[in-house]
Amino acid sequence: MKRMIAILALFFGFCSANANAEVCLPVEGLRFEKVGHDKLLIIRQGQNFGILEISGSGIPDNFTLRFFTATICDNAPNNEFQISGKVERVQRISAFK
């Protein structure tokens, strides 16, 4: 019984640690479409990959993107990029399952 409790505690600890894990994507080959005030649909190789959510003032309807590094992450330091000339930060990247 103690062994089962220890295994379950380890499993749930692992799951909660991975829930907050950093997500990084290589920028090359990605496309983005606005799907909400602060959300971009991430498209990779013609397939919907996930959602990139920014923490900022929102995304204009006609936007341009500029990335400062080869990857974009939902955790510093690679979480900053430009949307139409304004520096924004990634709040979260959620990949579809």
Side-chain angles (χ1 to χ4, degrees):
M1 184 66 167
K2 287 183 183 180
R3 184 175 181 171
M4 180 60 94
I5 292 172
I7 290 171
L8 286 174
L10 182 63
F11 174 75
F12 286 115
F14 177 76
C15 290
S16 66
N18 281 340
N20 297 326
E22 179 179 282
V23 176
C24 292
L25 297 172
V27 174
E28 187 174 335
L30 294 182
R31 287 190 16 240
F32 298 88
E33 291 180 12
K34 181 179 176 180
V35 292
H37 173 74
D38 60 351
K39 293 180 174 83
L40 294 170
L41 174 66
I42 304 167
I43 303 166
R44 179 195 281 173
Q45 298 175 344
Q47 301 292 318
N48 294 345
F49 178 81
I51 298 289
L52 184 148
E53 188 174 343
I54 67 165
S55 58
S57 58
I59 303 165
D61 287 333
N62 296 316
F63 64 91
T64 58
L65 299 176
R66 179 180 179 206
F67 296 95
F68 305 124
T69 60
T71 59
I72 189 74
C73 301
D74 59 4
N75 202 352
N78 290 2
N79 69 339
E80 290 187 331
F81 66 110
Q82 278 186 335
I83 299 178
S84 298
K86 185 176 180 188
V87 176
E88 298 286 357
R89 287 199 168 115
V90 176
Q91 181 175 335
R92 178 175 47 208
I93 297 173
S94 305
F96 297 141
K97 295 184 179 196

